[in-house]
Every structure is written in C-alpha cells, then in structure tokens.
Amino acid sequence: MKTEKRYLLPDDYMADPSAHVFNGKVYIYPSHDWESGVPENDNGDHFNMEDYHVLSTEDIMHGEVKDHGMVLSVKDIPWAGRQLWDCDVAEKDGKYYMYFPLKDKNDIFHIGVAVSDKPEGPFIPQPDPIRGSYSIDVAVFRDDNGSYYMYFGGIWGGQLQRYRDNKAVENPSLPASGEPALPARVARISDDMLQFAEEPHPVVVVDENGKPLTADDPHRFFEASWMHKYNGKYYFSYSTGDTHLLCYAVGDNPYGPFVYQGVILTPVVGWTTHHCILEYKGKWYLFHHDSAPSGGKTWLRSLKVCELQYDENGKITTINGTDE
Ligand code: FUB
C-alpha cells in the first residue's frame, strides 16, 4: 500500500527536520540548503548552510505551513567557522534552546546553543560552544521525569571517527569490518540547558543476541539520531548513511543498549536520509527529506512528511522511500 506523503515547503530547500509540539502547534527546525557552489565530496563540504528558518503548522498533512523566516545566522555566532547542520530545539520553563552543530574557525564541529523566548525565535547564540561537545546531528529528548538528553554524532564529514572516549585522537579511523560500529553519543543536559551535565555515553545498538552491530552491517549507525518514546519504550532511530536507510532500535532507558528492530524508510532520491518522529493530535508522523524536487542534487533537499504506523507489538511499518 502506498503511503500518502507531502512536501512541506515546495518553494525552498530545507533538510534534516526536527519537529516538536509547543503551545499546541507543530514547530519544525530544519537545516537550510542553498546552491553555494561548493563541489560535492565525502567530507560534506557541499552542505554549506549558513542560517536556520523555523516552520510551523497546525495540520501536518494538509494545512498551511508558515515560514517564520531566518532565526539564526552563521554571521551572528562568535565562534563560527562554517556549516550549520542539523539542529534541534527544546523548551524549558518558557525558554527555547536551539542546539546546533557548526564548524569552528579550525574546521572542527562543536555543538552550540542559542536561546529565545519564543519557539519561532529569533535565537541568540551563546558566546562559546558546549564544553566537551563534538561532531554533528543533534536531537534533544525530554523524558517524562523532566530530564533532557542530547543524542548526537555522525561519521565521515560529521567527524565522529576523530573521537574515542570523548577525546580527540591523533589518527582518526573507522572500525574495521567485523568490529563494533562507531556509536552515537548521549549526554544528559545541565539544569540551565547550556552544557552537558555528564560525559557523553556511547549509544550501543545490539542484535537480538546482545552483540553490537558491526561496522560492515548495512543497518549500523551513521548519523541523524532521533529519540522518541512509544508505549513506555525508548525508540532510538538513525540514518545508516552510505546504505541510505532509516533504522530503529528499542531500549528500556535513554542510554540503551537498544535492540535493533528494522527499517523505517527505504532509500529516497538523494544520498542523505534524515528524519524525526512526532506524535500530534493522536497520530504519529515521520518527517524527512529527499532530493527529488531538485532532480537528485544531494545538497538541495526538500522536506517531506507522512504518517507512521505501528503494529500491535510496537513494530514500525517500513515505508517505501520512493513510492509517490
Ligand atoms: O545536512 C548536512 C548533513 O547531511 C546532516 O548533518 C546529515 O544528517 C545529512 O542529512
């Protein structure tokens, strides 16, 4: 059966959606693709994004999607080098905290924070990135007890291979075939929402026998973490990067381990795949992007959404990335 899908913003290129419900409305925080002219390479230099916009809607599949305009620019971030990649926003006590990966002046990714009184911004950046932060692709999850956790990390251009035990290594490398894959990271966020409250922990995805997925497994973590809770279980979902899937794994707490479950979305048009999952008005949705409207240009992606279905055991029904 075909899944009904919607392009959310046909007039602009945006990608890497993070969506949340604030004050009864859905707010979407994407990265903002544009034709910067930087040639495509494995380092991701062609993802040369310079600002963020915020979108909102009250009817995900059919309603108006409002673009609130530019809410943060690389020009306003004191420590900026280049490349504003996937961001996310969390609300605490009436303030909104935008977390964003950005390369510093030495071309090293860190994660910054910018603050607003409103979900639609504008967001004012802190002078420095989060202490001890590295790599890319931020997702912030608020657990039912009021604790906030940040999931992050991405390999290749996302620089995760440069770190072991949260320290930069001299000779970055990826694990060999058969060795455990590089994991995403998770850290609880401090009470003031501006720092990590602890050293980041590895987010380990294991098979049904408890063995970590290996570096050559087509379902291993690559980038684009997301966390949501369904029927009391913690669903860690992610992109597999060079095998072009969105997959998920389930655990009993925010740190895992998470047991691999299956594919959420098969490959889309374009190299990257990146998503978030949200419940709104009693239905579940998958937001993601593809490059079909730009004719397959990997650096010019368009936001898409469709409904997500679970079976009676909490298994997510796989969605075909290309049926329209
Ligand atoms: O948008 C730049 C990068 O492409 C993101 O950080 C990745 O998740 C991929 O979508």
Side-chain angles (χ1 to χ4, degrees), residues 81-248:
R82 61 184 181 127
Q83 294 184 293
L84 278 174
W85 287 11
D86 158 65
C87 70
D88 197 5
V89 170
E91 182 273 341
K92 185 177 180 187
D93 299 334
K95 283 210 181 297
Y96 296 83
Y97 299 86
M98 173 180 270
Y99 301 93
F100 57 88
L102 173 69
K103 281 181 181 162
D104 66 12
K105 297 181 195 322
N106 297 315
D107 243 16
I108 303 296
F109 270 116
H110 297 285
I111 296 163
V113 191
V115 186
S116 177
D117 292 329
K118 293 179 289 185
E120 67 270 29
F123 290 86
I124 309 299
Q126 294 289 299
D128 298 300
I130 292 178
R131 281 190 297 279
S133 67
Y134 55 92
S135 199
I136 59 160
D137 282 1
V138 185
V140 178
F141 167 72
R142 182 188 185 278
D143 208 350
D144 301 332
N145 66 2
S147 296
Y148 291 79
Y149 297 88
M150 183 188 295
Y151 296 82
F152 65 94
I155 63 177
W156 294 19
Q159 302 182 344
L160 191 60
Q161 66 278 8
R162 296 182 180 206
Y163 298 85
R164 294 288 189 281
D165 299 326
N166 301 317
K167 301 210 169 37
V169 292
E170 235 162 73
N171 298 308
S173 65
L174 288 163
S177 286
E179 289 183 357
L182 274 189
R185 308 288 198 266
V186 56
R188 196 165 59 75
I189 300 176
S190 59
D191 288 344
D192 67 4
M193 300 296 276
L194 300 177
Q195 300 292 339
F196 292 153
E198 60 185 0
E199 287 265 305
H201 302 260
V203 179
V204 181
V205 177
V206 297
D207 66 15
E208 68 279 11
N209 301 313
K211 190 170 161 279
L213 299 197
T214 52
D216 53 330
D217 189 317
H219 305 116
R220 58 88 173 91
F221 170 81
F222 187 102
E223 62 187 5
S225 302
W226 188 255
M227 171 57 65
H228 76 281
K229 226 170 162 177
Y230 180 79
N231 280 348
K233 293 276 187 196
Y234 294 79
Y235 282 60
F236 174 67
S237 48
Y238 54 93
S239 160
T240 64
D242 57 349
T243 57
H244 313 289
L245 302 167
L246 292 177
C247 291
Y248 75 109

Side-chain angles (χ1 to χ4, degrees), residues 15-16 31 33 47 49 84-86 101 136-137 223-224 239 272-274 289 301:
D16 307 330
S31 26
D33 287 355
F47 299 119
M49 295 86 96
L84 278 174
W85 287 11
D86 158 65
I136 59 160
D137 282 1
E223 62 187 5
S239 160
T272 66
T273 188
H274 189 127
H289 66 234
R301 299 161 294 178

Side-chain angles (χ1 to χ4, degrees), residues 34-93:
W34 67 296
E35 186 60 89
S36 72
V38 176
E40 197 172 354
N41 60 25
D42 281 352
N43 210 25
D45 288 335
H46 47 299
F47 299 119
N48 193 25
M49 295 86 96
E50 296 192 327
D51 62 27
Y52 293 119
H53 284 220
V54 174
L55 313 179
S56 69
T57 185
E58 289 179 75
D59 177 353
I60 293 175
M61 291 308 294
H62 304 287
E64 184 203 356
V65 175
K66 182 168 179 184
D67 180 349
H68 294 270
M70 192 180 75
V71 298
L72 179 65
S73 162
V74 81
K75 294 188 199 78
D76 300 324
I77 303 169
W79 55 276
R82 61 184 181 127
Q83 294 184 293
L84 278 174
W85 287 11
D86 158 65
C87 70
D88 197 5
V89 170
E91 182 273 341
K92 185 177 180 187
D93 299 334

